[in-house]
Amino acid sequence: MSFGQGGPSWGPEDSGTPDWAALAEESAARSRRRKWLMIGGGAVATAAVAAIVATAVITTGGKSEPRTNASELPGPADLPSDPSVPQPSFSSVAPAPPPDPRDYIGDAGKDRAPVTVDAFFPGRKLTMGDRVYAKGATNRTTSCAATTQGALGPILTGNGCDQVIRATYSKDGVAVTVGLAVFGTEAEAKKAAQQASGGIASLEGAGVPTFCRGGSICRRTANSYGRYAYFTVGGFTSGKNVTKADKGVFAVGDDLTDFTFRQIHHRGEVQASAAAAAPTT
């Protein structure tokens, strides 16, 4: 007796008893086929998922780029060198240091910028921090002694003074005149400041009345920087005598001497920068 394909069969010698051994062998064969199909399908699925994950990891902006592990990059010694490509070269000679601004304000031979009132005291007012001073009268003359009081005149001329520039600033009833004396060398200016006696004469005008004249006690200072000596005289426009307790007078004088020093130094910086930028031959 027999059935269709895949059905049970009986042996010819036992017409009524199934061939159990044959049936068991056929069942085992079918089981082995299903097992291999399941294993093969799982491997395909795993490979597909791995491919999707790998694609997602290396894809940026819709474009896939190969990634290289950092440990696989060649070291500097492994990189090939092309002898035809020029290699950088470095000079063993150190560059020259930048010019010193003091070199350009210490000697008339290098200090060639114009000497004018506006070059040192520009604008119509002076601002120092939160303090604002009104600019009064200004004056420039080659008659150095005419700008002084007491013994300062002969000291300036005796040390070779070329000219004096004066400017007055005022605030809240206090006025200060600064006098900038110009010399040929730093040594001349320094000596004039050290020998200073008497002082610069106050300069009235442009809204500032006469002050520090007629015996009034005022504060006087003397300094030098480069080939410039600068002097101040400061006091009350009312004629009141100045005492050590009058901090306002001292503050105005200190601000003006500080500003004058900065202007001289800036003059040196500008000329030193121009020299550094000039082409060498």
Side-chain angles (χ1 to χ4, degrees):
M1 179 179 181
S2 65
F3 291 90
Q5 184 177 2
S9 62
W10 287 270
E13 60 274 5
D14 292 325
S15 58
T17 303
D19 187 347
W20 298 112
L23 289 174
E25 183 177 350
E26 184 177 354
S27 176
R30 285 196 302 270
S31 177
R32 285 193 298 272
R33 284 195 300 273
R34 284 196 302 270
K35 182 178 180 180
W36 282 111
L37 287 174
M38 290 176 66
I39 293 173
V44 172
T46 301
V49 171
I52 292 172
V53 172
T55 301
V57 170
I58 66 172
T59 301
T60 303
K63 180 175 63 175
S64 297
E65 298 179 357
R67 301 296 175 91
T68 303
N69 192 303
S71 63
E72 298 175 359
L73 293 174
D78 300 329
L79 296 175
S81 59
D82 186 352
S84 63
V85 177
Q87 300 299 314
S89 60
F90 303 93
S91 174
S92 60
V93 179
D100 186 349
R102 292 196 61 167
D103 291 342
Y104 291 86
I105 56 173
D107 191 286
K110 287 188 175 182
D111 187 13
R112 307 307 296 266
V115 178
T116 65
V117 171
D118 288 338
F120 291 94
F121 307 108
R124 301 170 65 179
K125 61 183 180 180
L126 171 62
T127 301
M128 298 290 286
D130 58 352
R131 301 171 300 282
V132 180
Y133 305 108
K135 183 179 178 182
T138 62
N139 173 262
R140 173 176 175 267
T141 179
T142 56
S143 180
C144 298
T147 65
T148 67
Q149 289 181 315
L152 185 60
I155 292 172
L156 295 184
T157 55
N159 284 289
C161 177
D162 296 325
Q163 57 183 302
V164 173
I165 297 173
R166 286 184 295 168
T168 296
Y169 292 86
S170 64
K171 181 179 185 295
D172 299 333
V174 173
V176 175
T177 294
V178 56
L180 184 75
V182 185
F183 296 85
T185 67
E186 182 174 359
E188 292 173 342
K190 185 176 182 179
K191 187 176 180 181
Q194 291 174 338
Q195 294 176 344
S197 179
I200 202 77
S202 62
L203 182 64
E204 71 278 359
V208 178
T210 300
F211 66 100
C212 293
R213 299 288 182 93
S216 297
I217 298 175
C218 292
R219 186 198 184 206
R220 300 181 185 274
T221 67
N223 297 276
S224 70
Y225 185 49
R227 69 187 188 104
Y228 302 92
Y230 50 103
F231 310 88
T232 67
V233 55
F236 295 102
T237 55
S238 64
K240 172 185 170 183
N241 290 333
V242 176
T243 68
K244 292 182 178 179
D246 294 317
K247 303 301 182 183
V249 176
F250 284 75
V252 179
D254 290 346
D255 278 345
L256 196 50
T257 55
D258 184 36
F259 175 73
T260 304
F261 170 84
R262 294 184 188 183
Q263 289 296 93
I264 298 171
H265 186 74
H266 178 66
R267 178 183 179 88
E269 288 180 324
V270 171
Q271 294 182 91
S273 297
T280 57
T281 56

